[in-house]
Amino acid sequence: MNFLEETLQALGERGDEPWILHGDRTVTGNDLLRRTGAAQGALGDIGPGERVVLLGPNSPDWVAIDLAIQCAGALPVPFYTRQSPAEMEAMIRDCQPAMVICADEELAAPLRNCGVPVRVYHELDGPVAAPEVRERPCSDPLRIFYTSGTSGAAKGAVLTVANVNFMLPRTCERLDYLMAGTEERERVFHYLPFCFAGSW
């Protein structure tokens, strides 16, 4: 079982327990599973190996759509919302995505003429369905993170399934060590955008 299957299983096991607290909004494991499945269904023909740009601030929708893209076997390519449209267009030309998904029309508008279909989150509210994970070998690219571009043009760094399968258990081991003796359910405060590798 790879990390994505483990994540979906954990969401189901948590069921109606809180999974994400976002402002005054509480999202349960079941809520996130439903949103992920609906988004995956609404992605249409997006499939293995295709790249999908994801542009938006941290939110439960960002998490669900990111999971949906991965379930489809495609590669999320998260962009930083503060980048200029020119920088984003250059990265779009570089990664050649099949689709760009934005949180809202304000973020989408400058990218409408980039030659790639652009959709906003509410357009991925498809029928409720369980997410389905496509099999992918450990050598498969999983996502592309772009560097900040402070020392020249932004460059895409590719993570594979094997990279994440290796790193997640070690991260969890370290967190377990740091939180040893804590009896309450742990919470993680995300102060970085999810488009940064560390926060993701």
Side-chain angles (χ1 to χ4, degrees), residues 143-186:
R143 65 197 309 110
I144 301 173
F145 285 108
Y146 273 87
T147 60
S148 64
T150 52
S151 59
K155 298 169 184 66
V158 179
L159 290 185
T160 65
V161 173
N163 293 146
V164 179
N165 281 340
F166 177 83
M167 284 303 300
L168 274 181
R170 282 142 190 86
T171 302
C172 290
E173 285 171 15
R174 185 63 179 166
L175 288 172
D176 288 342
Y177 172 77
L178 292 172
M179 300 304 293
T182 302
E183 294 181 9
E184 296 178 5
R185 186 173 297 282
E186 299 159 12

Side-chain angles (χ1 to χ4, degrees), residues 8-28:
L8 297 178
Q9 180 178 310
L11 288 171
E13 289 171 356
R14 287 280 287 271
D16 291 325
E17 294 180 45
W19 187 269
I20 297 175
L21 305 176
H22 183 75
D24 59 358
R25 183 178 171 195
T26 299
V27 178
T28 68

Side-chain angles (χ1 to χ4, degrees), residues 51-133:
R51 291 154 304 283
V52 179
V53 168
L54 183 55
L55 176 63
N58 289 4
S59 71
D61 284 319
W62 194 104
V63 174
I65 293 168
D66 181 76
L67 287 171
I69 295 167
Q70 292 177 77
C71 286
L75 286 74
V77 186
F79 282 6
Y80 186 39
T81 56
R82 291 188 181 180
Q83 287 173 299
S84 72
E87 289 174 316
M88 287 191 259
E89 287 175 13
M91 291 187 295
I92 287 170
R93 285 193 300 274
D94 182 63
C95 72
Q96 300 181 344
M99 183 183 296
V100 174
I101 301 173
C102 300
D104 54 39
E105 185 56 38
E106 183 178 352
L107 290 170
L111 303 176
R112 290 277 181 203
N113 295 319
C114 68
V116 177
V118 178
R119 299 175 72 182
V120 294
Y121 285 3
H122 71 80
E123 295 176 315
L124 298 179
D125 291 332
V128 174
E132 295 180 14
V133 180

